Amino acid sequence: MSELTFHVFVGATGDEPRAAAQASQAALPDAGTAVLMFVDPPARALEIVTGPDAHQLLDDSACSLVALSMQTAFVAGDLAGGIIHGLYQLGEHARRPESLHTAGR
Amino acid sequence: MRVPTAGDARTIFRLGLPAAVVLAGLCLASPAAASTPTDWPDTDPVSTLRALLIFGGIPLALGALIALLTLAPQIARGSPKGDSRTWWGEPVWFGGPAELAESSVSGRKALSGDADVASRSTGSTAVASAPKPSSAGSTAIIAMSPDLAPGTSTAKVGGAGARW
């Protein structure tokens, strides 16, 4: 379990999707461990925002890969499918590394 | 006298089958080596320009026609980029508090009213310059979070963005 919380917002936000996404993510009750997927269809914008703690597990490179995958689906018109697969991929990237030297003790 | 065995038959078959295939191919292809019949009329040589038009112009015209037919519906509808009228859905939160939905509808309230929340939570202003959408039709932009470059403090938000 990554102990991260994933939130998805889909809707029109305005001219600055990134700023709106970060403000919304910061307003979440568990902002430190929250991962917000922010989709603005009118602006054709996708933002993935990770809190300070979530960023320890989910770095920007992983988020970029997920964003690229979602973007591919969105370009094809598959909004829901892109979000679902993006969530799956974020969850897969957010796994804590297993400490083998402490296993079984 | 030595009697042929089954192994000898297999060897003959293995050698004879490829040879038979090659011979059959040569026999079938022999008409291709025939010269032009003498009773065919002599025609004028095709000019380079005419050859280019036939072998280059016609395929290009066909490609342009197919592309036009493919893009015609989208051109007729007009580009939906930046047109908020193409999105009629209400803002939806999955896993988020309900009160955030309204503040994110306009974007302005989220930017102004929640800015202090952002700074308290993340220890910074947490507002980054968003990459502008490209003016090209479907050109995509993938941008990593500009406020969390490698090597910077981890007490900031991270993430990535994309445009489509």
Side-chain angles (χ1 to χ4, degrees):
Chain A
M1 293 289 290
S2 66
E3 298 178 357
L4 303 183
T5 55
F6 293 88
H7 309 266
V8 179
F9 174 82
V10 182
T13 56
D15 296 332
E16 297 289 342
R18 180 69 188 174
Q22 288 184 330
S24 298
Q25 195 275 344
L28 292 170
D30 50 354
T33 57
V35 179
L36 174 61
M37 183 183 293
F38 198 87
V39 182
D40 189 345
R44 292 175 173 264
L46 161 70
E47 299 291 345
I48 298 173
V49 184
T50 56
D53 297 332
H55 183 262
Q56 303 292 327
L57 285 178
L58 206 56
D59 59 3
D60 290 354
S61 299
C63 292
S64 296
L65 285 175
V66 176
L68 179 63
S69 172
M70 295 177 66
Q71 181 191 49
T72 305
F74 291 165
V75 167
D78 187 9
L79 192 67
I83 292 172
I84 292 170
H85 288 294
L87 278 175
Y88 276 127
Q89 290 178 337
L90 282 177
E92 289 178 356
H93 282 289
R95 288 179 178 171
R96 291 184 185 277
E98 185 180 3
S99 298
L100 296 177
H101 61 283
T102 59
R105 295 187 179 181
Chain B
M1 179 178 176
R2 179 172 170 271
V3 178
T5 62
D8 295 338
R10 279 198 296 270
T11 302
I12 293 171
F13 181 75
R14 285 171 184 167
L15 293 177
L17 182 62
V21 169
V22 170
L23 282 176
L26 288 176
C27 292
L28 290 174
S30 59
S35 60
T36 306
T38 55
D39 55 346
W40 283 11
D42 291 333
T43 57
D44 296 333
V46 179
S47 67
T48 305
L49 179 62
R50 185 178 176 85
L52 280 177
L53 284 176
I54 292 174
F55 297 110
I58 292 177
L60 284 177
L62 283 175
L65 177 65
I66 294 171
L68 181 64
L69 291 175
T70 305
L71 297 175
Q74 184 179 351
I75 295 173
R77 284 196 305 265
S79 176
K81 192 175 184 63
D83 187 0
S84 60
R85 291 173 299 178
T86 59
W87 177 257
W88 296 92
E90 293 292 327
V92 180
W93 268 102
F94 298 97
E99 61 268 20
L100 282 178
E102 292 187 3
S103 66
S104 297
V105 171
S106 64
R108 299 179 186 277
K109 184 177 177 181
L111 286 176
S112 60
D114 294 338
D116 54 343
V117 179
S119 59
R120 283 201 306 272
S121 176
T122 62
S124 66
T125 57
V127 175
S129 59
K132 296 294 183 184
S134 172
S135 58
S138 61
T139 303
I141 297 173
I142 293 285
M144 292 174 65
S145 174
D147 54 354
L148 195 66
T152 59
S153 171
T154 56
K156 293 182 180 179
V157 295
R163 303 291 181 268
W164 76 92

PDB file of all heavy atoms in Angstrom, chain B residues 11-30:
ATOM      1  N   THR B  11      17.902 -39.017 -48.893  1.00  0.00           N
ATOM      2  CA  THR B  11      18.938 -38.109 -49.389  1.00  0.00           C
ATOM      3  C   THR B  11      18.618 -37.636 -50.800  1.00  0.00           C
ATOM      4  O   THR B  11      18.754 -36.454 -51.137  1.00  0.00           O
ATOM      5  CB  THR B  11      20.295 -38.833 -49.359  1.00  0.00           C
ATOM      6  OG1 THR B  11      20.569 -39.272 -48.031  1.00  0.00           O
ATOM      7  CG2 THR B  11      21.406 -37.897 -49.818  1.00  0.00           C
ATOM      8  N   ILE B  12      18.186 -38.561 -51.630  1.00  0.00           N
ATOM      9  CA  ILE B  12      17.822 -38.197 -53.003  1.00  0.00           C
ATOM     10  C   ILE B  12      16.666 -37.210 -53.014  1.00  0.00           C
ATOM     11  O   ILE B  12      16.652 -36.227 -53.753  1.00  0.00           O
ATOM     12  CB  ILE B  12      17.478 -39.474 -53.809  1.00  0.00           C
ATOM     13  CG1 ILE B  12      18.741 -40.328 -53.975  1.00  0.00           C
ATOM     14  CG2 ILE B  12      16.870 -39.120 -55.143  1.00  0.00           C
ATOM     15  CD1 ILE B  12      18.463 -41.695 -54.563  1.00  0.00           C
ATOM     16  N   PHE B  13      15.720 -37.462 -52.148  1.00  0.00           N
ATOM     17  CA  PHE B  13      14.559 -36.566 -52.091  1.00  0.00           C
ATOM     18  C   PHE B  13      14.970 -35.172 -51.631  1.00  0.00           C
ATOM     19  O   PHE B  13      14.539 -34.162 -52.179  1.00  0.00           O
ATOM     20  CB  PHE B  13      13.521 -37.159 -51.133  1.00  0.00           C
ATOM     21  CG  PHE B  13      12.283 -36.333 -51.023  1.00  0.00           C
ATOM     22  CD1 PHE B  13      11.335 -36.327 -52.042  1.00  0.00           C
ATOM     23  CD2 PHE B  13      12.060 -35.538 -49.903  1.00  0.00           C
ATOM     24  CE1 PHE B  13      10.196 -35.564 -51.935  1.00  0.00           C
ATOM     25  CE2 PHE B  13      10.927 -34.775 -49.803  1.00  0.00           C
ATOM     26  CZ  PHE B  13       9.989 -34.790 -50.818  1.00  0.00           C
ATOM     27  N   ARG B  14      15.856 -35.128 -50.618  1.00  0.00           N
ATOM     28  CA  ARG B  14      16.277 -33.817 -50.103  1.00  0.00           C
ATOM     29  C   ARG B  14      17.056 -33.032 -51.138  1.00  0.00           C
ATOM     30  O   ARG B  14      16.987 -31.821 -51.210  1.00  0.00           O
ATOM     31  CB  ARG B  14      17.142 -34.013 -48.861  1.00  0.00           C
ATOM     32  CG  ARG B  14      16.349 -34.403 -47.628  1.00  0.00           C
ATOM     33  CD  ARG B  14      17.279 -34.799 -46.502  1.00  0.00           C
ATOM     34  NE  ARG B  14      16.539 -35.261 -45.340  1.00  0.00           N
ATOM     35  CZ  ARG B  14      17.086 -35.895 -44.318  1.00  0.00           C
ATOM     36  NH1 ARG B  14      18.376 -36.159 -44.342  1.00  0.00           N
ATOM     37  NH2 ARG B  14      16.352 -36.275 -43.301  1.00  0.00           N
ATOM     38  N   LEU B  15      17.843 -33.707 -51.952  1.00  0.00           N
ATOM     39  CA  LEU B  15      18.608 -33.001 -52.985  1.00  0.00           C
ATOM     40  C   LEU B  15      17.748 -32.699 -54.201  1.00  0.00           C
ATOM     41  O   LEU B  15      17.918 -31.667 -54.865  1.00  0.00           O
ATOM     42  CB  LEU B  15      19.816 -33.837 -53.394  1.00  0.00           C
ATOM     43  CG  LEU B  15      20.896 -34.027 -52.312  1.00  0.00           C
ATOM     44  CD1 LEU B  15      22.003 -34.946 -52.837  1.00  0.00           C
ATOM     45  CD2 LEU B  15      21.471 -32.675 -51.915  1.00  0.00           C
ATOM     46  N   GLY B  16      16.854 -33.611 -54.517  1.00  0.00           N
ATOM     47  CA  GLY B  16      16.079 -33.457 -55.738  1.00  0.00           C
ATOM     48  C   GLY B  16      14.967 -32.440 -55.629  1.00  0.00           C
ATOM     49  O   GLY B  16      14.644 -31.760 -56.601  1.00  0.00           O
ATOM     50  N   LEU B  17      14.412 -32.298 -54.454  1.00  0.00           N
ATOM     51  CA  LEU B  17      13.276 -31.369 -54.320  1.00  0.00           C
ATOM     52  C   LEU B  17      13.681 -29.918 -54.570  1.00  0.00           C
ATOM     53  O   LEU B  17      13.031 -29.228 -55.368  1.00  0.00           O
ATOM     54  CB  LEU B  17      12.645 -31.537 -52.934  1.00  0.00           C
ATOM     55  CG  LEU B  17      11.417 -30.669 -52.687  1.00  0.00           C
ATOM     56  CD1 LEU B  17      10.309 -31.029 -53.679  1.00  0.00           C
ATOM     57  CD2 LEU B  17      10.920 -30.837 -51.254  1.00  0.00           C
ATOM     58  N   PRO B  18      14.768 -29.422 -53.959  1.00  0.00           N
ATOM     59  CA  PRO B  18      15.153 -28.034 -54.283  1.00  0.00           C
ATOM     60  C   PRO B  18      15.515 -27.857 -55.741  1.00  0.00           C
ATOM     61  O   PRO B  18      15.178 -26.840 -56.357  1.00  0.00           O
ATOM     62  CB  PRO B  18      16.357 -27.789 -53.371  1.00  0.00           C
ATOM     63  CG  PRO B  18      16.213 -28.769 -52.271  1.00  0.00           C
ATOM     64  CD  PRO B  18      15.585 -29.972 -52.888  1.00  0.00           C
ATOM     65  N   ALA B  19      16.184 -28.843 -56.315  1.00  0.00           N
ATOM     66  CA  ALA B  19      16.541 -28.734 -57.727  1.00  0.00           C
ATOM     67  C   ALA B  19      15.293 -28.681 -58.593  1.00  0.00           C
ATOM     68  O   ALA B  19      15.218 -27.904 -59.559  1.00  0.00           O
ATOM     69  CB  ALA B  19      17.411 -29.923 -58.128  1.00  0.00           C
ATOM     70  N   ALA B  20      14.298 -29.473 -58.251  1.00  0.00           N
ATOM     71  CA  ALA B  20      13.063 -29.464 -59.026  1.00  0.00           C
ATOM     72  C   ALA B  20      12.346 -28.116 -58.906  1.00  0.00           C
ATOM     73  O   ALA B  20      11.800 -27.592 -59.878  1.00  0.00           O
ATOM     74  CB  ALA B  20      12.148 -30.592 -58.548  1.00  0.00           C
ATOM     75  N   VAL B  21      12.387 -27.562 -57.714  1.00  0.00           N
ATOM     76  CA  VAL B  21      11.736 -26.261 -57.526  1.00  0.00           C
ATOM     77  C   VAL B  21      12.424 -25.188 -58.347  1.00  0.00           C
ATOM     78  O   VAL B  21      11.780 -24.362 -59.010  1.00  0.00           O
ATOM     79  CB  VAL B  21      11.737 -25.903 -56.016  1.00  0.00           C
ATOM     80  CG1 VAL B  21      11.313 -24.464 -55.817  1.00  0.00           C
ATOM     81  CG2 VAL B  21      10.822 -26.833 -55.243  1.00  0.00           C
ATOM     82  N   VAL B  22      13.774 -25.211 -58.351  1.00  0.00           N
ATOM     83  CA  VAL B  22      14.515 -24.206 -59.119  1.00  0.00           C
ATOM     84  C   VAL B  22      14.247 -24.378 -60.610  1.00  0.00           C
ATOM     85  O   VAL B  22      14.014 -23.406 -61.344  1.00  0.00           O
ATOM     86  CB  VAL B  22      16.014 -24.319 -58.794  1.00  0.00           C
ATOM     87  CG1 VAL B  22      16.826 -23.460 -59.758  1.00  0.00           C
ATOM     88  CG2 VAL B  22      16.283 -23.903 -57.357  1.00  0.00           C
ATOM     89  N   LEU B  23      14.268 -25.604 -61.064  1.00  0.00           N
ATOM     90  CA  LEU B  23      14.013 -25.845 -62.483  1.00  0.00           C
ATOM     91  C   LEU B  23      12.605 -25.418 -62.877  1.00  0.00           C
ATOM     92  O   LEU B  23      12.385 -24.820 -63.939  1.00  0.00           O
ATOM     93  CB  LEU B  23      14.230 -27.332 -62.803  1.00  0.00           C
ATOM     94  CG  LEU B  23      15.697 -27.763 -62.948  1.00  0.00           C
ATOM     95  CD1 LEU B  23      15.785 -29.272 -63.162  1.00  0.00           C
ATOM     96  CD2 LEU B  23      16.336 -27.017 -64.112  1.00  0.00           C
ATOM     97  N   ALA B  24      11.639 -25.707 -62.026  1.00  0.00           N
ATOM     98  CA  ALA B  24      10.262 -25.319 -62.339  1.00  0.00           C
ATOM     99  C   ALA B  24      10.126 -23.806 -62.395  1.00  0.00           C
ATOM    100  O   ALA B  24       9.441 -23.256 -63.269  1.00  0.00           O
ATOM    101  CB  ALA B  24       9.319 -25.899 -61.279  1.00  0.00           C
ATOM    102  N   GLY B  25      10.815 -23.126 -61.507  1.00  0.00           N
ATOM    103  CA  GLY B  25      10.760 -21.658 -61.524  1.00  0.00           C
ATOM    104  C   GLY B  25      11.361 -21.089 -62.784  1.00  0.00           C
ATOM    105  O   GLY B  25      10.829 -20.156 -63.381  1.00  0.00           O
ATOM    106  N   LEU B  26      12.493 -21.661 -63.201  1.00  0.00           N
ATOM    107  CA  LEU B  26      13.125 -21.174 -64.433  1.00  0.00           C
ATOM    108  C   LEU B  26      12.232 -21.419 -65.639  1.00  0.00           C
ATOM    109  O   LEU B  26      12.122 -20.566 -66.536  1.00  0.00           O
ATOM    110  CB  LEU B  26      14.475 -21.863 -64.624  1.00  0.00           C
ATOM    111  CG  LEU B  26      15.589 -21.428 -63.656  1.00  0.00           C
ATOM    112  CD1 LEU B  26      16.849 -22.264 -63.893  1.00  0.00           C
ATOM    113  CD2 LEU B  26      15.893 -19.947 -63.869  1.00  0.00           C
ATOM    114  N   CYS B  27      11.592 -22.583 -65.666  1.00  0.00           N
ATOM    115  CA  CYS B  27      10.720 -22.882 -66.805  1.00  0.00           C
ATOM    116  C   CYS B  27       9.511 -21.946 -66.843  1.00  0.00           C
ATOM    117  O   CYS B  27       9.099 -21.479 -67.906  1.00  0.00           O
ATOM    118  CB  CYS B  27      10.264 -24.340 -66.737  1.00  0.00           C
ATOM    119  SG  CYS B  27      11.607 -25.511 -67.019  1.00  0.00           S
ATOM    120  N   LEU B  28       8.963 -21.690 -65.678  1.00  0.00           N
ATOM    121  CA  LEU B  28       7.782 -20.826 -65.652  1.00  0.00           C
ATOM    122  C   LEU B  28       8.138 -19.377 -65.970  1.00  0.00           C
ATOM    123  O   LEU B  28       7.317 -18.632 -66.520  1.00  0.00           O
ATOM    124  CB  LEU B  28       7.117 -20.902 -64.265  1.00  0.00           C
ATOM    125  CG  LEU B  28       6.443 -22.231 -63.939  1.00  0.00           C
ATOM    126  CD1 LEU B  28       5.957 -22.249 -62.504  1.00  0.00           C
ATOM    127  CD2 LEU B  28       5.269 -22.468 -64.891  1.00  0.00           C
ATOM    128  N   ALA B  29       9.370 -18.970 -65.628  1.00  0.00           N
ATOM    129  CA  ALA B  29       9.747 -17.573 -65.836  1.00  0.00           C
ATOM    130  C   ALA B  29      10.393 -17.340 -67.184  1.00  0.00           C
ATOM    131  O   ALA B  29      10.756 -16.210 -67.495  1.00  0.00           O
ATOM    132  CB  ALA B  29      10.707 -17.134 -64.732  1.00  0.00           C
ATOM    133  N   SER B  30      10.546 -18.355 -67.954  1.00  0.00           N
ATOM    134  CA  SER B  30      11.232 -18.182 -69.243  1.00  0.00           C
ATOM    135  C   SER B  30      10.534 -17.199 -70.169  1.00  0.00           C
ATOM    136  O   SER B  30      11.212 -16.481 -70.913  1.00  0.00           O
ATOM    137  CB  SER B  30      11.404 -19.548 -69.907  1.00  0.00           C
ATOM    138  OG  SER B  30      10.139 -20.146 -70.110  1.00  0.00           O
TER     139      SER B  30
END
